[in-house]
Amino acid sequence: MSSERKKNPKHFQLNPNWAQLQQKLKSFAKPSRHSKNPQSETPNSILGKRKERPNSEPDDAKPNPLMPTNDDSSVTDVLAMDCEMVGVGQGNKSALGRVTVVNKWRNVIYDEFVRPVEHVVDFRTHISGIRPRDLRKAKDFRVVQKKVAELIKGRILVGHALHNDLKALLLMHPKKDLRDTSEYQPFLKEGRRKALRHLAAEVLGVEIQNGEHCPVDDARAAMLLYSKNRKEWERSVKDQLRLKEKQKKRKQRKKPKADINHSLIAS
């Protein structure tokens, strides 16, 4: 009897383990009640989470709207230009250090560092992004000037504060062919001009000029601002030209009358 009593406790000690094992088996068997293929549920849930990630990523990594829409690098009827300056003389005088021209598709068709005629005393790197090494093999100013003049001749020229760029290049361009984003009426705030970086942020939703300026981004931003408003912009330019023509005709009509009166008084 004593031997049986000793064996019985050992026998009862196995019952809790057996009960736990049964519970585990039941828990594993439960999914089979809901689906015929229980093993497929776990992989599906994992894959589902992975599929959600690409949908959420575009919010964090949106495509840059300034990038070209195709690979066409031809010289189009509309070009955008931006220049970066360096300091010459005593440092307060600006000279051309880099010029970039893009076509209407925002592809770069010309981008050159320029060696100014005068000695550079301030590279203005924190804004211009130009460093001494960039100008060691840079092209002569006259060569760049001639090339840019050839590119923009007879074409619409887009840019921001273009008078500064043209002044640095020592070039002239017909006013009727200038599309300056700093002067376009809808872009003005209470008659005051906005910086290009503010226009890019407000109109295009793009951040530019954070630190060193990139003339490629600036030219592309100006071109995109123009492209988005091209129809209205060109319509306003035509209206202005028509108004000027009418004013000229009125002046021409008034002149003969004044001459007649003058001749009568003289006689």
Side-chain angles (χ1 to χ4, degrees), residues 104-166:
K104 68 179 181 181
W105 312 118
R106 300 189 293 282
N107 285 305
V108 176
I109 61 172
Y110 192 71
D111 183 25
E112 290 291 345
F113 288 102
V114 186
R115 188 186 306 109
V117 177
E118 297 182 53
H119 178 67
V120 179
V121 296
D122 185 1
F123 288 89
R124 303 177 184 175
T125 306
H126 64 290
I127 297 175
S128 69
I130 299 173
R131 291 164 173 76
R133 65 173 179 267
D134 296 326
L135 301 190
R136 285 171 192 163
K137 296 183 179 180
K139 291 192 175 182
D140 184 74
F141 171 80
R142 294 175 185 82
V143 174
V144 174
Q145 181 193 46
K146 183 179 179 182
K147 181 63 178 178
V148 173
E150 291 173 355
L151 287 171
I152 67 175
K153 185 178 180 180
R155 293 181 171 87
I156 292 175
L157 182 62
V158 180
H160 193 82
L162 279 168
H163 60 280
N164 291 329
D165 296 336
L166 291 169

Side-chain angles (χ1 to χ4, degrees), residues 49-227:
K49 288 181 180 179
R50 287 179 182 174
K51 286 178 181 178
E52 289 173 2
R53 288 179 185 176
N55 294 332
S56 60
E57 282 178 1
D59 295 334
D60 299 330
K62 293 180 180 178
N64 187 353
L66 298 183
M67 295 304 292
T69 54
N70 57 46
D71 57 356
D72 185 351
S73 297
S74 61
V75 182
T76 52
D77 60 335
V78 181
L79 300 175
M81 181 175 70
D82 187 76
C83 299
E84 295 300 331
M85 315 298 177
V86 293
V88 296
Q90 295 182 350
N92 57 350
K93 184 180 176 183
S94 296
L96 184 66
R98 182 180 177 184
V99 58
T100 302
V101 181
V102 302
N103 63 10
K104 68 179 181 181
W105 312 118
R106 300 189 293 282
N107 285 305
V108 176
I109 61 172
Y110 192 71
D111 183 25
E112 290 291 345
F113 288 102
V114 186
R115 188 186 306 109
V117 177
E118 297 182 53
H119 178 67
V120 179
V121 296
D122 185 1
F123 288 89
R124 303 177 184 175
T125 306
H126 64 290
I127 297 175
S128 69
I130 299 173
R131 291 164 173 76
R133 65 173 179 267
D134 296 326
L135 301 190
R136 285 171 192 163
K137 296 183 179 180
K139 291 192 175 182
D140 184 74
F141 171 80
R142 294 175 185 82
V143 174
V144 174
Q145 181 193 46
K146 183 179 179 182
K147 181 63 178 178
V148 173
E150 291 173 355
L151 287 171
I152 67 175
K153 185 178 180 180
R155 293 181 171 87
I156 292 175
L157 182 62
V158 180
H160 193 82
L162 279 168
H163 60 280
N164 291 329
D165 296 336
L166 291 169
K167 183 180 178 181
L169 281 157
L170 301 178
L171 291 175
M172 299 286 288
H173 200 69
K175 193 173 182 180
K176 66 180 181 65
D177 292 334
L178 293 177
R179 303 294 181 268
D180 197 323
T181 54
S182 71
E183 297 179 359
Y184 183 49
Q185 188 65 36
F187 292 161
L188 302 179
K189 184 179 181 181
E190 297 177 355
R192 290 180 294 178
R193 299 173 180 177
K194 290 185 180 181
L196 181 60
R197 66 177 181 276
H198 294 152
L199 287 174
E202 294 171 13
V203 182
L204 306 177
V206 178
E207 290 187 5
I208 60 172
Q209 299 180 350
N210 291 329
E212 297 179 9
H213 293 196
C214 174
V216 175
D217 287 344
D218 292 355
R220 284 173 172 170
M223 178 58 81
L224 189 55
L225 286 168
Y226 168 75
S227 299

